[in-house]
Amino acid sequence: MKILKIIILFALLSQLIFAEGGSIYTRYGVGDILNTNSARRLGMGSLGISLPDQSYLNYLNPAAWSKLDLTRFEVGLDYQGNLTDDAIESKFYSNYHFSGFTFGFPIDKDYGISVAFGMVPLTNVNYEVAESKAEDESNPFSEVFNLDYKGNGGLSKIFIGMSYKLPFDFFVGASFDYYTGKTEYKSSIDFSDNSDFTDATFTKKFSYRGNGGTFGLISSDLSKMLAIDKVRNLRFGLMLNYFSKLDTDTSLTSSTSIGTINNDKDIIKTEIPFKLGFGMSFTWDENYLILIDYLYQPWSKFKSNGHKSYFLQDYSKASVGMEYGTRQTRFTDTFWEQLLLRGGLSYERTQYTFYGESINKFSVSLGVSMPLGLNNSIDIAFEYGIRGTNDSNLIKENLFNAAISFSFGELWFIRQER
Amino acid sequence: MRLNISLFILIILVLFINSCQDDPGSLGNDLIPDKDRININTTNSLDGDFNQYSSIFSDSVGLGYSNRVLLGLYNGLKSEILMKFIFIIPDSVTDAYEADSLQILESCIEMKPSYKLGSTIPPDFDFQIHEITSAWSSLGFSRDSLAGLTFDNRNLGSSKTLLDTVFSISFDNDIVYKWISRQITETGENNYGVLFTPESQTKGVVGFNAISTISEIEDMPKLKIIISKPGEFIDTLLGTPTADIHVITGDFPQSPENNIVLQVGYTTRAKFVMDVSSLPTDIIINEATLHFYKDTVNSSIGSISSDSLIISMYGDSAQTKLSTNFVSVIFTRSGNEYSGKITGFVQSWLKSNSNYGVQVRLSDELRTMNRLELFSSSNPDKSFRPRLKLIYTTHN
């Protein structure tokens, strides 16, 4: 019941809150890439490809589910604040989105067989630019009017997959992914309420659907090979996320004086490039978990209806993350003893490029995990990033991200030994 | 408990933080891709060389609803008035009639002009009054109905005084006595009223208030009767119209210049088509104004001008039915130009790819005999032709 309450609350909050503006960079491709739906991951740099986790579900690498010990459900809400500026002015925008849910349960712990499914957002489009045109000689309307350009939407992934433990303690996992979503771009001209002129709005809609898969591999514990006492659980991980060509319904809607006119256009193909990631994780001195990850996605190969975009380049992200806290909790531990603290750094060469300038992002993050009863937790994370540049009349953004996730674990589906 | 507190704090934080954001501005405008940009375009049928077509036709309207009746001859059209009077008869007059002692000393029709066209002064304006001898009704009466109307050829009017403000015509006392007798006894010859018909030398038209107007009785045509009962009283009896209508006959109005002729009373209207098929179909019309230009030389406008047109969209290719999806638009006059907005019409033509044109008519087709000539689509000077001006928005 409480899970349902949280899902409904988060979903409603993200729908009811009126968000205006956002990053104009999201106009290109299918928007900003969301690498994680988890506050835990956000607090550690957003990735964590090589970390098999018994208390969390990582959709980035299905092999990571192999250590699940309880049926687990996770849901979250994300916030993004964007202080954006060019050489002349600055604006602050904020928006929220429901970061999806994941559900997983172990089937056979000895063989590392776990199943997980969920729905998570993959990309986010959100921007609005408004311009007022003065009443002057070049204005054919002879009165003030506003031009407004607005975009919203994004891609989501619905997945189901499982993990398995290979010989030599390697873990492998795979998920079948279904991609769906909608992006909408509105261009409108607005007059005052008492104007004799008719407002006009053009809305381009793209509705995506297609499938793909995610494959992951996590190595066994290689710490013994290093012979460093304080290093434990040294693992390497690899993931590959493949996208088929997405069928995309396109339409152009015009809002006119006689109502809305729909012009369904063609069904085109949208080609999202594959995503490849490498990672390393280890624990240091029992209580410190260290993650080092690299993610690559060649967005220069993105195509919409067979056309590439001159404003997209290959994407890459390198991150370092750390988590501090007691790795094995006991019933007798106090609240403070069960706290986990997190921090991370990351550097992204985003997929955006304009006028020969690459749009890059540097971020620092912090997070905390608080117990919420037995096997349950609330995770909170904050990330501050700087993206872009004012060179070449571009936009520089100070990004304030926050995430809250709830992780619930219960003992389901486990056959009791008689 | 801890969960509920956490959720509550979360809601408050969300609402608070969400309120702290700026309205969208022009920041990032340079990064809007060209394919999203809105383009504003202007054009008109003259510069765009749109095809257009116009023609006129005759329609029928219920002239019985007019609040003015017209009499005269102008531009080859004749207007005649049919009028029937009823009397307010006090008991004393009834008693006198029954005692066979009622005398009609004098009868006079008084009519106050409320509209003039052309020359309305004698000898350029004259008319006769005849007794109608067949039944008629103002409802549904048309110029075709005149052929079935019978009347006495005798001119019942004499001694006319036609002043600027009032027409006074001496009327036949015997006819009046017959009508009063009919009204009192409800027997005898029926009172079918009279027919006013202009003399052939008439060169003008005069209009008088009709019974459908809300004017004071003082402004209505009336039949004033001086009656007496010898030795007892001399009194004035008043007859007011109980039915009236005017009917306009003549040849279908034509224009040697092939203008659009809108003739009030004869009720000519125009069909007009502006071909916008050369425009892209996925544009949004911000404003479409249609302009008609008056031929001031060939138009005949009386003392009450025709300052507005009604433009209605046709809903069928035969141009017989008006569209029920759009309300008619009023075009107003500014100088010699009639114009109005037909933004929805043009957008509909683009959307549906079927353009059946519009009907053009005067907003007042009953109360005058004005003749408005508009330059048509075939005028040799393209700048005089009806013109459609457009401001529209396109998307790359």
Side-chain angles (χ1 to χ4, degrees), chain A residues 2 5-6 9-10 13 17-21 24-25 27-28 77 79 84-86 89-94 96 127-131 140-141 145 147 149 187-189 191 196-202 204 252 254-258 261 263 265 335 354-355 371-372 378 394-395 404 406, chain B residues 1-4 6-8 10-42 281-288 325-326 341-352 391-396:
Chain A
K2 60 185 175 186
K5 185 164 57 176
I6 292 170
L9 174 66
F10 279 12
L13 268 178
I17 293 166
F18 181 66
E20 288 185 316
I24 184 60
Y25 293 135
R27 174 57 185 92
Y28 296 88
L77 183 70
Y79 162 83
T84 183
D85 69 83
D86 58 11
E89 62 174 321
S90 67
K91 290 278 185 183
F92 179 73
Y93 303 120
S94 65
Y96 296 83
Y127 66 90
E128 187 171 0
V129 174
E131 188 183 6
F141 298 107
F145 65 91
L147 292 173
Y149 301 99
S187 304
S188 52
I189 182 168
F191 302 95
D196 289 334
F197 298 106
T198 301
D199 295 346
T201 300
F202 295 96
K204 282 191 282 197
L252 177 65
S254 307
S255 298
T256 72
S257 57
I258 59 170
I261 300 172
N263 290 305
K265 302 283 186 184
F335 173 84
F354 300 93
Y355 321 128
L372 192 67
I378 299 177
L394 292 173
I395 303 294
I404 182 167
F406 290 84
Chain B
M1 182 64 181
R2 191 182 293 169
L3 175 64
N4 289 335
S6 305
L7 292 177
F8 177 74
L10 173 65
I11 293 169
I12 299 299
L13 268 177
V14 162
L15 292 174
F16 173 73
I17 294 170
N18 186 64
S19 66
C20 304
Q21 60 175 334
D22 294 324
D23 292 330
S26 61
L27 194 60
N29 188 44
D30 291 341
L31 293 176
I32 296 292
D34 289 340
K35 60 185 175 184
D36 287 356
R37 296 275 180 200
I38 282 183
N39 303 310
I40 301 165
N41 306 274
T42 60
T281 53
D282 56 354
I283 63 175
I284 298 178
I285 306 294
N286 302 109
E287 183 185 69
N325 295 325
F326 291 89
K341 293 187 197 298
I342 55 166
T343 305
F345 290 5
V346 177
Q347 192 72 68
S348 171
W349 296 336
L350 292 170
K351 175 193 172 186
S352 64
I391 306 179
Y392 63 92
T393 304
T394 60
H395 196 240
N396 288 335

Side-chain angles (χ1 to χ4, degrees), chain B residues 327-339:
Chain B
V327 295
S328 300
V329 178
I330 306 288
F331 278 28
T332 54
R333 183 178 66 86
S334 174
N336 294 324
E337 188 176 312
Y338 292 80
S339 63

Side-chain angles (χ1 to χ4, degrees), chain B residues 131-267:
Chain B
E131 183 188 11
I132 297 173
T133 55
S134 60
W136 61 275
S137 169
S138 58
L139 292 175
F141 198 95
S142 68
R143 51 179 169 267
D144 295 329
S145 308
L146 271 181
L149 191 76
T150 59
F151 56 90
D152 192 293
N153 279 326
R154 198 160 51 96
N155 184 5
L156 302 177
S158 62
S159 183
K160 301 187 191 73
T161 304
L162 306 182
L163 300 176
D164 212 30
T165 55
V166 64
F167 284 12
S168 299
I169 308 105
S170 296
F171 194 68
D172 189 293
N173 291 341
D174 292 336
I175 298 294
V176 173
Y177 189 89
K178 184 173 71 176
W179 289 345
I180 291 173
S181 171
R182 170 72 191 183
Q183 188 167 331
I184 292 173
T185 65
E186 296 182 4
T187 60
E189 288 181 50
N190 281 316
N191 173 5
Y192 295 125
V194 291
L195 173 73
F196 294 78
T197 185
E199 296 280 20
S200 59
Q201 75 272 20
T202 297
K203 294 186 179 68
V205 174
V206 178
F208 310 98
N209 288 337
I211 59 173
S212 55
T213 188
I214 56 173
S215 298
E216 296 290 333
I217 195 168
E218 276 299 306
D219 296 328
M220 302 291 295
K222 43 190 164 298
L223 179 54
K224 273 186 178 175
I225 309 159
I226 310 294
I227 56 167
S228 79
K229 181 176 181 183
E232 290 201 27
F233 65 80
I234 297 176
D235 206 351
T236 302
L237 208 62
L238 210 58
T240 53
T242 184
D244 59 20
I245 192 171
H246 70 274
V247 184
I248 297 175
T249 55
D251 294 331
F252 183 81
Q254 297 282 8
S255 167
E257 285 76 23
N258 282 327
N259 285 342
I260 294 170
V261 179
L262 302 177
Q263 175 65 61
V264 179
Y266 201 94
T267 319

Side-chain angles (χ1 to χ4, degrees), chain A residues 149-163:
Chain A
Y149 301 99
K150 195 172 182 176
N152 61 74
L155 272 180
S156 296
K157 173 167 105 168
I158 301 169
F159 68 92
I160 183 166
M162 64 184 290
S163 61

Side-chain angles (χ1 to χ4, degrees), chain A residues 48-121:
Chain A
I49 294 167
S50 62
L51 181 65
D53 218 330
Q54 65 186 99
S55 302
Y56 294 93
L57 294 163
N58 180 5
Y59 73 84
L60 207 57
N61 188 345
W65 306 331
S66 52
K67 286 273 191 174
L68 267 184
D69 60 350
L70 294 173
T71 298
R72 191 152 288 280
F73 174 79
E74 293 179 8
V75 66
L77 183 70
D78 288 349
Y79 162 83
Q80 184 179 73
N82 186 341
L83 180 63
T84 183
D85 69 83
D86 58 11
I88 301 168
E89 62 174 321
S90 67
K91 290 278 185 183
F92 179 73
Y93 303 120
S94 65
N95 69 89
Y96 296 83
H97 61 263
F98 178 53
S99 56
F101 71 91
T102 50
F103 183 86
F105 52 90
I107 294 179
D108 190 316
K109 291 182 190 178
D110 293 335
Y111 288 99
I113 301 174
S114 297
V115 171
F117 63 87
M119 189 187 80
V120 293

